[in-house]
């Protein structure tokens, strides 16, 4: 087991209406804590010390030290706490003995949370504890239960956090959960209402650049989420997790593609919510098995670098500085739930690319969210020079662009999916970011950095392509445009947003004509590669056929008529 929680006490200085854990301490529990920690550390990579409220235990530093001192498999030690008893000296001592992460319960950033914790002044003391942990260098994850008394407070948590602490708040993630039981059952909310709150929280957290994830210990069925989120939610459930004690399935669950991973509904959920609040599972796309959120370190290491060889022979290593993003495009293939790579891992990847003579492309998620971006660009300046794949939201000023230019950035590939706020913000699901991307493009061009505008073609923007070409021509005449076609992936669900071939063909012909007339470079290679040769627009057939082989990427099928086609050997068929 890679993660284990160790309960070191049951007593708590709060009495949350949504908690059922707090009770009188058991002497045997306290006396056996260190022994249980050492036993767990021999098997677990992540150890979480929890309670009750663990900071009430006098010898907590010794317990943290015991967890950290065990064999190297237990390098990460976390503490679940309300932080109300943590001051500067306590936080410093915990960090000194090896505490890596404090998981601080905070269902909202407002004194009204004291009504739910039944601890007058508790919110103020928690905020003080957060400050102390940040100053001591302990990473913080906020644990946010979605319950009746806090559901209206939770969505504003990210912006209130930044408003109070600034960007140096020390919070690396918000972990939401939906309690299955509570002292007061009126505190419990049904999944549909909880998901609405969660999605609003995620949208606001993206703007504050704080990742949000669900506690995988309390799985919510993927079918409860909007259709565009079901594939990614299913992706975070444990492979083989469908067989789990304490859960029940509804009749329709047997026909669901998620049944191998999804255990259904917790029995406690069914007992404490009204039956009509339970939404039956619907079929979701079949996806490969992946680890749970808590088991993602190896997955993150594998996803750090993608090695490519382009058609012109250029070798490229795409290094993902972060898997988090401040936009939420429905066609994104990046597993945004993965933890960020370490500085050491990034530097090793840069060294590997240099040894291979490969061009380094810094990507994400969104790489400008990483504070070390300019430093890494400087380390990768050898060869053809490093490149950047970005939405340009982090290029907020000309000085930002000039700093990257000075560090050695050669080319920036900027995602812009529409010529207007309505189209672009609708696709990225991040209101207000179209204007910021446009300003970022302005700054990159002013800094004389080579710019490529990358647009992923989907139903929302296919009619806008010619207008987008005109925008680029008028505003960034030195930039080129690269069109990609939205495709379903392991981490995305297109849900009707993929363009029909019959609609796509005339639109790319029109965009190509506009680009030639305006003198704008337009790269259609990726789009043409996705089309079977019989559906490639006539003016582009010769170019596409000359480059096509039967090894085109992605799963393809061929129909009976394909056998009679003269270019069948060079066409991969229909995707």
């Amino acid at each position: 087991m890679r993660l284990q929680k160790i309960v070191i006490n049951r007593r708590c200085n709060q009495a949350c209406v949504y908690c059922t854990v707090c009770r009188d301490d058991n002497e045997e529990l306290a006396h056996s804590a260190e022994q249980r920690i050492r036993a767990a550390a021999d098997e677990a990579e992540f150890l979480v010390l929890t309670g009750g409220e663990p900071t009430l235990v006098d010898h907590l530093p010794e317990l943290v030290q015991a967890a950290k001192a065990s064999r190297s498999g237990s390098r990460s030690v976390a503490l679940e706490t309300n932080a109300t008893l943590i001051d500067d000296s306590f936080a410093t001592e915990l960090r000194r003995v090896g505490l890596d992460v404090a998981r601080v319960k905070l269902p909202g950033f407002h004194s009204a949370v004291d009504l739910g914790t039944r601890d007058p002044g508790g919110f103020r003391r928690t905020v003080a504890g957060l400050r102390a942990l940040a100053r001591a260098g302990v990473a913080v994850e906020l644990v946010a239960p979605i319950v009746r008394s806090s559901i209206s407070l939770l969505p504003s948590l990210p912006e209130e956090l930044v408003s109070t602490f600034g960007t140096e708040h020390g919070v690396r993630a918000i972990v939401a959960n939906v309690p299955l039981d509570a002292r007061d059952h009126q505190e419990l909310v049904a999944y549909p209402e909880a998901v609405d709150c969660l999605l609003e929280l995620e949208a606001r957290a993206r703007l504050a650049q704080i990742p949000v994830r669900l506690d995988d210990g309390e799985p919510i069925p993927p079918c409860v989420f909007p259709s565009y989120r079901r594939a990614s939610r299913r992706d975070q459930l444990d492979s083989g997790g469908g067989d789990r004690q304490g859960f029940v399935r509804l009749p329709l669950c047997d026909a669901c593609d998620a049944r191998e991973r999804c255990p259904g509904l917790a029995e406690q959920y069914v007992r404490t919510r009204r039956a009509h609040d339970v939404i039956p599972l619907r079929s979701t796309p079949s996806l490969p098995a992946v680890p749970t959120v808590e088991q993602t370190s190896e997955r993150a290491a594998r996803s750090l670098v993608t090695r490519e060889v382009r058609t012109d022979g250029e070798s490229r290593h795409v290094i993902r500085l972060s898997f988090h993003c401040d936009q939420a495009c429905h066609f994104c293939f990046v597993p945004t739930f993965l933890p960020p790579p370490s500085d050491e891992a990034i530097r090793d990847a840069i060294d590997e690319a240099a040894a291979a003579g490969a061009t380094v492309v810094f990507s994400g998620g969104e790489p400008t969210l990483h504070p070390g971006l300019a430093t890494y660009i400087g380390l990768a300046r050898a060869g053809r020079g490093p490149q950047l794949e970005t939405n340009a939201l982090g290029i907020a000023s000309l000085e930002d662009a000039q700093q990257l230019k000075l560090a050695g950035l050669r080319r920036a590939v900027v995602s812009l999916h529409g010529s207007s706020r309505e189209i672009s913000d609708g696709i990225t699901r991040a209101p207000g970011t179209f204007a910021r991307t446009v300003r970022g493009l302005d700054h990159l061009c002013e800094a004389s950095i080579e710019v490529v505008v990358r647009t992923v073609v989907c139903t929302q923007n296919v009619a806008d392509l010619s207008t987008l070409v005109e925008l680029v021509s008028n505003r960034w005449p030195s930039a080129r445009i690269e069109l990609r076609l939205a495709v379903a992936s392991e981490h995305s669900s297109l849900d009707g947003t993929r363009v029909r071939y019959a609609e796509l063909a005339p639109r790319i012909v029109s965009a190509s004509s506009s680009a030639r007339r305006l003198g704008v470079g337009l790269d259609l290679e990726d789009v043409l590669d996705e089309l079977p040769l019989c559906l490639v627009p006539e003016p582009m057939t010769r170019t596409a056929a000359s480059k096509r082989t039967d090894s085109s990427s992605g799963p393809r099928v061929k129909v009976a008529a394909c056998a009679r086609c003269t270019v069948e050997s060079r066409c991969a068929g229909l995707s």
Side-chain angles (χ1 to χ4, degrees), residues 475-524:
R475 189 150 185 163
W476 312 292
S478 63
R480 294 186 299 107
I481 302 174
E482 173 186 281
L483 297 186
R484 296 276 181 99
L485 193 63
V487 294
S489 73
E490 182 180 346
H491 307 286
S492 65
S493 176
L494 298 185
D495 297 316
T497 61
R498 180 164 185 174
V499 185
R500 292 176 61 86
Y501 290 145
E503 183 181 8
L504 177 64
R507 297 297 185 182
I508 61 175
V509 168
S510 177
S512 180
S513 176
S514 296
R516 285 196 303 272
R517 175 173 54 83
L518 297 170
V520 176
L522 179 63
D523 183 354
L524 294 170

Side-chain angles (χ1 to χ4, degrees), residues 166-244:
T167 56
E168 302 301 318
H169 46 69
V171 175
R172 73 177 191 181
I174 297 173
V175 183
N177 64 72
V178 183
L180 297 176
D181 200 4
R183 287 189 178 92
D184 179 1
H185 282 188
Q186 292 186 13
E187 282 290 305
L188 302 175
V189 298
Y191 285 149
E193 188 176 4
V195 166
D196 287 344
C197 174
L198 176 68
L199 295 179
E200 186 178 355
L201 171 65
E202 285 183 333
R204 297 197 189 188
R206 277 195 298 272
L207 298 179
Q209 301 180 9
I210 302 174
V212 174
R213 72 172 190 263
L214 267 172
D215 185 344
D216 61 289
E218 300 171 359
I220 298 178
C223 62
V224 181
F225 288 80
S227 57
Y228 69 85
R229 281 291 304 276
R230 289 173 189 162
S232 62
R233 178 57 195 149
R234 180 184 186 274
D235 186 56
Q236 296 174 50
L237 296 176
D238 192 15
S239 177
D243 185 17
R244 185 166 172 175

Side-chain angles (χ1 to χ4, degrees), residues 136-463:
V138 178
V140 172
E141 293 181 351
L142 297 183
V143 177
I146 303 177
V147 291
R148 183 65 55 205
S149 60
S150 67
I151 196 167
S152 63
L153 302 174
L154 189 52
S156 63
L157 175 59
E159 56 209 55
E160 294 288 351
L161 191 68
V162 173
S163 175
T164 301
F165 293 102
T167 56
E168 302 301 318
H169 46 69
V171 175
R172 73 177 191 181
I174 297 173
V175 183
N177 64 72
V178 183
L180 297 176
D181 200 4
R183 287 189 178 92
D184 179 1
H185 282 188
Q186 292 186 13
E187 282 290 305
L188 302 175
V189 298
Y191 285 149
E193 188 176 4
V195 166
D196 287 344
C197 174
L198 176 68
L199 295 179
E200 186 178 355
L201 171 65
E202 285 183 333
R204 297 197 189 188
R206 277 195 298 272
L207 298 179
Q209 301 180 9
I210 302 174
V212 174
R213 72 172 190 263
L214 267 172
D215 185 344
D216 61 289
E218 300 171 359
I220 298 178
C223 62
V224 181
F225 288 80
S227 57
Y228 69 85
R229 281 291 304 276
R230 289 173 189 162
S232 62
R233 178 57 195 149
R234 180 184 186 274
D235 186 56
Q236 296 174 50
L237 296 176
D238 192 15
S239 177
D243 185 17
R244 185 166 172 175
Q245 294 295 318
F247 286 76
V248 296
R249 285 181 168 168
L250 303 174
L252 290 180
C253 294
D254 290 339
C256 178
D257 289 339
R259 64 187 178 276
E260 187 270 337
R261 293 195 202 187
C262 178
L265 293 162
E267 292 176 350
Q268 186 67 27
Y269 179 90
V270 176
R271 284 196 296 268
T272 55
R273 275 75 166 181
R274 297 187 305 275
H276 69 264
D277 285 331
V278 177
I279 297 179
L281 290 174
R282 300 181 182 90
S283 182
T284 58
S286 180
L287 300 174
V290 298
T292 63
V293 174
E294 294 289 353
Q295 299 172 322
T296 53
S297 291
E298 292 179 6
R299 177 65 180 278
R302 293 196 304 270
S303 302
L304 172 61
V305 182
T306 302
R307 298 161 185 85
E308 304 174 345
V309 178
R310 294 173 57 84
T311 54
D312 61 3
E314 178 187 10
S315 175
R316 308 197 318 171
H317 286 197
V318 180
I319 301 176
R320 302 194 182 282
L321 300 186
S322 169
F323 297 97
H324 177 54
C325 187
D326 39 12
Q327 293 182 326
C329 306
H330 55 79
F331 43 68
C332 181
F333 59 86
V334 177
T336 56
F337 60 86
L338 291 177
S342 67
D343 174 73
E344 180 183 6
I346 294 171
R347 289 173 181 268
D348 287 347
I350 293 172
D351 291 342
E352 179 197 338
T359 298
V360 173
V361 181
F362 292 109
S363 186
E366 175 46 50
T368 61
L369 294 176
H370 199 298
L373 174 60
T375 299
Y376 296 137
I377 288 174
L379 294 173
R381 5 183 358 150
R384 299 191 185 185
Q387 301 180 30
L388 179 67
E389 294 181 342
T390 176
N391 57 30
L393 300 184
I395 316 295
S397 66
L398 177 57
E399 290 73 20
D400 290 335
Q402 289 172 333
Q403 181 187 22
L404 299 181
K405 172 78 171 180
L406 185 63
L409 181 65
R410 176 172 66 92
R411 173 188 296 166
V413 180
V414 180
S415 297
L416 180 66
H417 304 303
S419 66
S420 67
R421 172 180 58 82
E422 292 76 14
I423 296 173
S424 179
D425 288 358
I427 292 172
T428 62
R429 294 199 292 262
T433 56
F434 168 74
R436 292 169 59 195
T437 293
V438 167
R439 285 196 298 271
L441 279 162
D442 290 342
H443 300 320
L444 289 165
C445 289
E446 287 179 61
S448 299
I449 295 172
E450 180 184 345
V451 168
V452 177
V453 174
R454 176 178 290 167
T455 301
V456 177
V457 183
C458 55
T459 54
Q460 294 98 316
N461 65 10
V462 66

